[in-house]
Every structure is written in C-alpha cells, then in structure tokens.
Amino acid sequence: MADSNFIDYVKILCRSGKGGAGSLHFHRAKYVPKGGPDGGDGGRGGHIILRGNKNMWTLLPLKYSRHIFAGNGGSGSAGRSFGKDGEDKIIEVPCGTVVFDADTGQYLCEVTDDGQEVKLLRGGRGGLGNWHFKSPTNRTPRYAQPGEPAIEKAVILELKLLADVGLVGFPNAGKSTLLSAVSAARPKIADYPFTTMEPQLGIVEYRGNRSFVMADIPGIIEGASEGRGLGLRFLRHIERNAVLLFMVPADADDIKAQYEVLLEELRRFNPQLMDKQRVLAVSKSDMLDDELKAEIRPTLPTDLPVVFISSVTGEGITELKDALWKAITDDANRIEEIPITHRPLDGHHRLREEDEFIFENVPSPDDDDDYIEVEDDGFDEDEDGDIDYEWEYGDVKE
C-alpha cells in the first residue's frame, strides 16, 4: 500500500487556539478625572473545524500534514478594545469521514455531506477586561481574566466510502470482474488472491437513465474480524452501504457454508450490518449447466434473493441489477436514513503503523499562551499617564 494514493486511515494532532488575556487598564486623560477601568476583553482562540468536500476521495493530504494548530486570540487593550479572534483551521475531508479519539478509541463525530462543518475542537474563550468588574464598592479593580487554555487532542480519521451496494466475498470470487463488467471502473484483475489491494468505486447504469454506486473491497477470509488478511482494514467501508452483495463462486465446495462464514465475519465486525438488506450472487455460473443449477438451488439460503451470474458471458447481470435496484429503492433502506452505530476502535480495528506514529518536533504554544497574575505591589504610570499592569509567563492561576 506504500505506493497507493488511497489513504482511509490517518492519525493527526490537533490544537485549538487559546483565548486572549483581558486587559487591566485605567483611563487617564488630562480633563477626565477618575476615568475608571477600561481594559478590553481578549479574543477567542481559533476553532478546529472539519468540512466535507465531495471532490476529495482520500485522506492523503493529512498523511503529510499531521499537525493542525489554530491561532491564538489577541489580548485586550485600553479603551475597551477587544483582542482579535484567533484564526480558525478548517480541515477538508472526504464525505464519509469518521473521527475517533486516538487515546481511547471513542467515537467523536462524522462528516457525511458536502459542505457540512463540524467543530472538532473549540477555541478557548477570551478573558474579560477589568472594566467588567467595576462596582460601587470596587471602583478600581486591579485584576482581569486570563484566556482559556487551548485544547490539544490526537485523533484518528477513518474514511468510510459512501456507496449504494457493497461487494462482499472471498478472494478471487469475481468481485472486481463484476465491477468492471457493469461499470466503467477498471480495477486490477488477476488469478491470485488479494489482487484488489484497495477499495474501488463504480457507477452502474440502470434502466431509465438511473444509476447506483457499487463498491468493491479486498477479499475477506475467515478470521478477518480478528485481524487476518486485508479484509478487516476495509470492512469499515461497507458500514455505509445500503445493500450488501455477497459473491460466492459456483465452483465452491459449499456455497451456503461460504456465505455463512462471510456473514459471521460481518456480524463480529459490527452486528449492525445484519440489519442491511442482502443479495447473494453465485459467480462464474458459465461453468454450470441447467442440470447442475437445479441441483444446487435447493442447497442455497432461502432468506435472501439468489442470482446466478457470469461476468464474462453477461448471464444474470440484468436480473442482478433488478434485485439490487429493488433493494436500494426500498423506502426503509435508503442510505441516508440508515443510522450507523460506529463501534469504538479496539486493538483489532486499528492500524499499528498509525498507532505507533510519534508526533515529532511539535511546536510549543506561543510565548503568550498562559499568564499568571503578579502579586499586586502597586502599578506604574507610563509617559502618557496610563496604568500598565504587569504579567509574567506561567500557568493560568485559578
């Protein structure tokens, strides 16, 4: 996968901006006696925002931009002047991106629509200036609030492709051949296992200028839910598919047994996949005559539509499209109406190379990140007669 541009799993470090410190300032003018406090508020820190982009199909840009830092808010100043807000950082992601906490594996949020924005990390609020704290009994408040600190979090982004139909089957079951036969997609096809190394999407034309999207993922083997083979890495993509098309070759020893193995792997990966509509296609049926098909039919599952197909001769392709379209257009099965329960990331669902990724040379926050209030030992007047308050770097004092 090193030479592939398709990246669907990446770990990044995000940091929102800290809020600016409020100003401690007193108005002093020649003809304004007792001007009073007029320190302005600090600006808020920048947010980390995710935005869906329908023109993106991979998380590759984030693979080489691991640090996403928003701007800090500016400090307040005299005359009730507010500090400027920190610059927001917007992360463009493909539609279908899911975010998890890198430390706990807990699901955080997802982006499914083009232009949808999700605030991943909130910027710190700016501190209040001292003019907020004046009162009849405290006319010269000599304190102001520091800004709220930044929020730093390492997150994992998973891309789950949006498609109407997902192909599920063992290696060399004919999934890529079917996708190339019914769409303009040209996946690599060869006579050895795991020819497909990354998901492929194709648009399948149907009657009346209608169409639907079909996704092909690498073959699944028994034990995939426990981390075997390549299928586990890409099983996440079929969580968003409205219909699952199981493919078992006609030369299999037991078609029903292979189907049940595939179904069990999906159940172990995410039990919610059992609620999706399913269609079974017996591929490579050009090797069977009518007599053999009649013998095989009674042994096939009876709880879902079964179609004998051949991607080479075109046998059964029209019937397969009809069955898939019927399942897709079922009112109770529309993809946008299917809620998805994203399982937390555990040891089996993580990529070791991403989990072990170390964020090196992480820039430290700006020098004005945190402040503490100095013990009040009086205040000094500058040349203009303004009162300046003293600050020093350190941790925020509660």
Side-chain angles (χ1 to χ4, degrees), residues 2 16-17 24 28 45-46 137 144 148 151 181 192 195 216 229-230 256 258-259 304 324 341 347 349 376 391-392 396:
S16 64
L24 194 158
R28 297 293 291 273
T137 58
E148 288 185 345
I151 301 175
Y192 55 82
T195 306
D216 174 24
L230 293 176
K256 184 177 181 180
Q258 287 201 11
Y259 163 74
L304 76 167
L324 294 175
T341 302
H349 300 124
D376 183 17
W391 299 88
E392 69 178 17
V396 177

Side-chain angles (χ1 to χ4, degrees), residues 29-85:
K30 187 174 183 180
Y31 298 107
V32 183
K34 300 179 181 180
D38 69 344
D41 301 344
R44 70 159 178 83
H47 304 310
I48 300 293
I49 299 173
L50 299 177
R51 178 189 293 166
N53 187 339
K54 65 180 180 181
N55 296 319
M56 294 182 65
W57 63 280
T58 175
L59 296 172
L60 180 64
L62 295 176
K63 189 78 171 179
Y64 304 102
S65 180
R66 300 279 191 163
H67 302 146
I68 310 294
F69 298 152
N72 294 330
S75 300
S77 57
R80 298 188 184 181
S81 296
F82 291 0
K84 69 175 182 179
D85 293 340

Side-chain angles (χ1 to χ4, degrees), residues 73-326:
S75 300
S77 57
R80 298 188 184 181
S81 296
F82 291 0
K84 69 175 182 179
D85 293 340
E87 179 184 1
D88 296 335
K89 281 294 184 180
I90 298 178
I91 307 175
E92 300 275 351
V93 296
C95 297
T97 300
V98 185
V99 185
F100 298 90
D101 188 306
D103 297 325
T104 65
Q106 193 66 31
Y107 164 78
L108 297 178
C109 62
E110 63 178 327
V111 180
T112 56
D113 301 321
D114 181 46
Q116 176 187 357
E117 292 189 352
V118 177
K119 189 182 297 181
L120 180 60
L121 297 180
R122 180 181 63 82
R125 292 179 296 182
L128 298 179
N130 66 331
W131 73 277
H132 284 279
F133 305 106
K134 64 182 179 180
S135 67
T137 58
N138 185 14
R139 297 184 179 183
T140 57
R142 291 184 174 89
Y143 50 85
Q145 289 182 337
E148 288 185 345
I151 301 175
E152 183 173 291
K153 184 182 290 292
V155 297
I156 290 175
L157 304 183
E158 269 194 353
L159 173 60
K160 300 181 180 181
L161 295 178
L162 297 169
D164 300 304
V165 178
L167 298 179
V168 182
F170 287 100
N172 281 24
K175 302 185 300 298
S176 298
T177 306
L178 173 64
L179 185 64
S180 65
V182 299
S183 71
R186 291 295 175 262
K188 183 179 180 180
I189 300 173
D191 188 19
Y192 55 82
F194 297 114
T195 306
T196 302
M197 297 292 291
E198 61 187 45
Q200 301 285 338
L201 288 178
I203 299 178
V204 181
E205 295 183 355
Y206 190 62
R207 299 188 181 101
N209 294 325
R210 294 172 293 184
S211 63
F212 57 89
V213 180
M214 180 178 290
D216 174 24
I217 67 170
I220 300 173
I221 63 174
E222 188 171 1
S225 59
E226 299 175 357
R228 298 177 183 173
L230 293 176
L232 174 72
R233 176 167 179 172
F234 302 105
L235 277 176
R236 68 176 73 98
H237 295 293
I238 64 175
E239 287 184 311
R240 292 202 186 278
N241 301 155
V243 179
L244 302 181
L245 175 57
F246 289 80
M247 295 190 64
V248 180
D251 57 354
D253 296 334
D254 190 333
I255 296 177
K256 184 177 181 180
Q258 287 201 11
Y259 163 74
E260 291 176 348
V261 170
L262 294 171
L263 197 62
E264 178 63 17
E265 293 300 325
L266 298 189
R267 187 193 65 78
R268 292 182 179 180
F269 178 77
N270 188 346
Q272 193 181 16
L273 294 176
M274 299 298 97
D275 299 332
K276 296 181 180 293
Q277 291 201 28
R278 306 186 291 270
V279 176
L280 175 60
V282 181
S283 60
K284 306 179 183 179
S285 295
D286 52 302
M287 298 186 299
L288 305 176
D289 54 22
D290 294 339
E291 184 177 350
L292 287 176
K293 291 178 183 177
E295 294 179 2
I296 293 176
R297 249 179 222 285
T299 65
L300 299 178
T302 58
D303 58 342
L304 76 167
V306 179
V307 183
F308 286 87
I309 66 169
S310 172
S311 302
V312 176
T313 63
E315 175 188 353
I317 297 299
T318 301
E319 292 79 0
L320 178 62
K321 290 182 179 180
D322 291 338
L324 294 175
W325 185 259
K326 181 180 179 181

Side-chain angles (χ1 to χ4, degrees), residues 360-374:
E360 297 179 350
N361 301 323
V362 179
S364 59
D366 295 339
D367 291 339
D368 61 350
D369 262 3
D370 297 320
Y371 298 88
I372 60 173
E373 189 173 336
V374 177

